[in-house]
Amino acid sequence: EKGYETGEHAPGLKLGGCGAYKAAHHIIKTHAKVWHSYNNTWRREQRGMVGISLTSGWGEPVDPHSQTDRDAAERYIQFHLGWFANPIYRGDYPEVMKNYVGKKSAQQGLGTSRLPTFSVQEKTYIKGTSDFLGIGHFTTRYVLQKNFPFLQVSSYHTDHDLAELVDPNWPAPGPKWLYSVPWGFRRLLNFIKTQYGNPLIYVTENGVSETMQCPQLCDEWRIQYLKGYINEILKALNDGVNVKGYTAWSLLDKFEWNKGFSEKFGLYHIDFKNKNKPRYPKASVDYYKKIISANGFPNPREVMP
């Protein structure tokens, strides 16, 4: 979306309303081809697994008693996670994506939908091509219905007819987009369990950055973030969600997309101004070490039911 819709990231293309859909279409088909290649050639000998890692926030309806808000929240998750997961686990794009993009394409006078279609053969070829689902998750949004007039320039962002809100009380220690909302993670994991037949899940990305270097490398907010989110994964495990592993994002401060080195997700601080790039552990390192050594929270009293 940022590479082919808004042009913020490489390759920097601004193909509003169609570029991201086309790119995703090729990614999904290519993923399936790689899975089948491994399955046919290497699996018997290596006994490995091939999956896909998808990053998604959670969308919570502003008013849980409002059907329109609940529908908007459903669209939020289908236009993010479902966009890729639905073809792989259920054989096609989410119905709500097909309906909304198709309707808006027709309103624009286009003969076909801006969302590409899979042939019957492609649907069969793609479905089931994941031995596990990798999940990257960072934050949550409140979602409500918002209609965009069809005369506007077509855009992925206006196709789903919704607006995103945040609670001003949510902690926001890092960039403006990343609010700490641990309970959203449990809901996302349970959604995956329900929608996709409880697949094997590895959490491949979960963490928080800082925009300013913390004094004495005391990143207490990162400790609280990790504690809150890992706690929600434990609750999801109790719900029966099939989570197999967890990876904090990230080990080191690093080059972060178009933010360069200004956003620091690392458990280790890197002095980029020094030619040797020395690494210094932040306070979160000791905390994460304890979690790893105990394979969970070392103190059972830290675990919330």
Side-chain angles (χ1 to χ4, degrees):
E1 174 261 326
K2 285 184 168 62
Y4 294 87
E5 173 84 25
T6 64
E8 291 175 56
H9 294 170
L13 301 178
K14 298 180 180 180
L15 306 172
C18 62
Y21 295 135
K22 286 182 179 178
H25 200 68
H26 290 304
I27 288 169
I28 294 163
K29 291 201 290 184
T30 305
H31 161 80
K33 188 166 187 176
V34 171
W35 187 92
H36 281 285
S37 175
Y38 186 86
N39 194 54
N40 296 333
T41 310
W42 300 107
R43 187 186 298 277
R44 185 174 299 169
E45 177 186 341
Q46 296 180 350
R47 298 181 183 177
M49 295 195 300
V50 178
I52 193 166
S53 184
L54 306 175
T55 300
S56 179
W58 173 250
E60 182 75 9
V62 168
D63 180 0
H65 303 294
S66 162
Q67 186 63 48
T68 55
D69 284 1
R70 290 203 304 269
D71 290 345
E74 173 78 11
R75 288 197 302 279
Y76 175 93
I77 202 73
Q78 294 293 0
F79 267 81
H80 287 84
L81 179 67
W83 184 5
F84 294 86
N86 221 73
I88 291 168
Y89 284 96
R90 303 180 74 169
D92 199 3
Y93 290 121
E95 286 300 316
V96 71
M97 271 191 92
K98 294 194 291 184
N99 291 342
Y100 268 69
V101 181
K103 178 181 68 178
K104 288 179 178 280
S105 299
Q107 288 172 341
Q108 292 168 316
L110 301 176
T112 57
S113 175
R114 289 181 280 102
L115 182 69
T117 57
F118 295 113
S119 68
V120 174
Q121 292 83 358
E122 285 172 338
K123 290 176 185 178
T124 304
Y125 188 72
I126 292 164
K127 186 177 180 181
T129 57
S130 199
D131 305 317
F132 66 89
L133 178 60
I135 285 293
H137 174 74
F138 295 90
T139 194
T140 285
R141 292 288 185 270
Y142 280 121
V143 179
L144 73 162
Q145 167 85 19
K146 181 180 179 181
N147 293 323
F148 291 92
F150 67 83
L151 294 175
Q152 278 188 298
V153 177
S154 62
S155 163
Y156 165 78
H157 292 284
T158 57
D159 278 344
H160 20 21
D161 276 353
L162 59 84
E164 301 173 26
L165 302 174
V166 297
D167 186 330
N169 295 316
W170 287 346
K176 59 184 179 181
W177 63 270
L178 208 172
Y179 294 81
S180 180
V181 196
W183 53 260
F185 203 4
R186 181 186 186 183
R187 298 188 185 196
L188 176 66
L189 292 169
N190 272 282
F191 175 89
I192 292 166
K193 173 191 170 188
T194 303
Q195 287 276 313
Y196 308 126
N198 202 15
L200 179 64
I201 294 172
Y202 287 92
V203 178
T204 46
E205 292 184 36
N206 175 242
V208 65
S209 71
E210 70 253 23
T211 48
M212 300 285 290
Q213 185 182 333
C214 45
Q216 290 81 48
L217 302 179
C218 185
D219 54 346
E220 177 62 30
W221 68 88
R222 183 173 284 109
I223 292 172
Q224 292 304 315
Y225 180 97
L226 292 171
K227 182 177 180 178
Y229 276 74
I230 293 171
N231 205 358
E232 292 299 317
I233 297 171
L234 291 174
K235 293 178 189 177
L237 279 166
N238 289 334
D239 297 335
V241 180
N242 192 12
V243 182
K244 183 73 170 179
Y246 173 86
T247 313
W249 187 266
S250 60
L251 178 66
L252 309 172
D253 290 340
K254 59 182 178 11
F255 191 84
E256 184 66 29
W257 298 97
N258 56 338
K259 302 297 183 183
F261 298 115
S262 64
E263 275 190 20
K264 299 172 172 61
F265 275 88
L267 300 172
Y268 283 83
H269 167 66
I270 309 297
D271 183 359
F272 291 109
K273 295 177 182 176
N274 186 311
K275 67 176 183 179
N276 294 322
K277 309 289 189 292
R279 305 167 182 186
Y280 303 99
K282 302 174 189 178
S284 53
V285 167
D286 281 337
Y287 183 73
Y288 196 48
K289 278 181 181 177
K290 291 175 184 174
I291 288 176
I292 290 170
S293 65
N295 197 25
F297 290 117
N299 182 353
R301 287 178 294 179
E302 284 191 279
V303 181
M304 301 293 288

